[in-house]
Amino acid sequence: MARPRKPLLSTDRIVEAARALVDAEGLAAVSTRRLAAELGVSGPSLYNHFRTKDQILEAVADSVSAQVDLSAFEDGRDWRTALHDWAVSYRAALRDHPNIVPVLARGPGRRPAGLRVADAAFGAMVDAGWPPAQATSIGALMRYFIMGSALGSFAGGFVDDETAYDPADYPHLGQAHLLADQQEKIDERAFETGLTALLDGLALQYEQLRRTA
C-alpha cells in the first residue's frame, strides 16, 4: 500500500505560512524553526528555498505588494482617478497585513512585485504629462502617505476610559473616549480626506504645468 504523500514544500507554501504567522503574531514570530514546525518539515529543508529569515520576510512583503491592483494605470483612467483608485487598493492590502508594513516601508529593493508597483505608478504619471522628476516625487509622496496611514490607527490610539481625559487638562477631548468604537469609520474618513487633499494639490500643480508647457 502506497504511503500518503505529503504536500510538496514550495516557495509559495513557505511564503503563505510565513505571511499567516506575521499577520497573527508579528515579525518577531518568524523563524526557520517555527516555520518548519508549521509546515511539518525539517528546518534544513527550508534552506532549499530561502537562506535566511530576512529573505523570507522580503518574500512575504512582496506577496503583499502583489495584492495591489494596478489596473487603474492600465485601463485609460485619467491620472488623478488612477492615483486615487490605486492608493485605495494599496492601503487595503497594507491594512489586511499591517505587521509587514515596516518591511515594505524600506522600499521595493529587488522585490519584483514591489518594483512593478513603482514602475506602474511612475510610468502612468510620465505618460500623463508629468516630468520624470515630478513623477518620482509623486510616487514618493503617495508611498509616504499610504504607508503612514497603515502603520497604526489614529482612532485606536485613544483609550475608551472617559476618566483619562480630565477636562481641566484636556478641555477639547471630552469625546475622545468614543473614538475607539468608531475606529474603522474614522480612519477610513481620514484617509479619504488626506488623499483628496493630496490629489487636489497635485491637480493645481498639473494645471500650472500644462499652462506653462
Side-chain angles (χ1 to χ4, degrees):
M1 184 174 179
R3 293 181 181 178
R5 294 183 61 188
K6 290 183 179 180
L8 292 176
L9 186 62
S10 66
T11 297
D12 287 344
R13 278 194 70 213
I14 296 169
V15 171
E16 288 172 9
R19 187 173 59 232
L21 195 54
V22 171
D23 288 345
E25 301 182 33
L27 297 173
V30 178
S31 69
T32 53
R33 182 190 298 269
R34 178 74 183 276
L35 277 175
E38 294 283 336
L39 290 163
V41 299
S42 63
S45 63
L46 295 180
Y47 296 120
N48 294 324
H49 302 273
F50 297 100
R51 294 193 303 273
T52 65
K53 169 183 171 177
D54 284 345
Q55 286 186 345
I56 294 171
L57 292 178
E58 287 287 308
V60 170
D62 212 37
S63 74
V64 173
S65 292
Q67 297 175 17
V68 180
D69 184 3
L70 301 180
S71 65
F73 298 131
E74 301 164 353
D75 60 9
R77 277 173 255 191
D78 65 90
W79 70 266
R80 176 180 173 141
T81 302
L83 264 188
H84 174 276
D85 296 347
W86 166 74
V88 170
S89 173
Y90 202 158
R91 180 172 179 266
L94 302 189
R95 184 189 57 212
D96 290 343
H97 308 282
N99 291 335
I100 199 64
V101 172
V103 179
L104 286 162
R106 299 172 193 162
R110 297 177 181 272
R111 298 191 298 267
L115 289 170
R116 283 193 291 272
V117 170
D119 180 74
F122 176 78
M125 294 306 99
V126 171
D127 289 346
W130 289 96
Q134 286 175 280
T136 299
S137 295
I138 291 170
L141 168 67
M142 298 301 290
R143 192 168 74 86
Y144 297 152
F145 176 66
I146 296 165
M147 293 282 181
S149 74
L151 281 172
S153 166
F154 171 80
F158 291 86
V159 299
D160 61 359
D161 179 3
E162 188 173 3
T163 64
Y165 309 102
D166 189 328
D169 295 321
Y170 316 109
H172 306 295
L173 297 182
Q175 301 296 307
H177 64 287
L178 302 175
L179 293 177
D181 286 340
Q182 303 180 58
Q183 177 178 326
E184 184 174 352
K185 178 181 178 180
I186 291 170
D187 290 344
E188 289 291 332
R189 188 172 62 210
F191 179 76
E192 279 292 342
T193 298
L195 181 57
T196 298
L198 285 177
L199 295 175
D200 283 349
L202 289 174
L204 290 174
Q205 292 183 35
Y206 186 75
E207 289 305 313
Q208 183 177 7
L209 180 69
R210 302 283 285 184
R211 286 196 298 270
T212 58

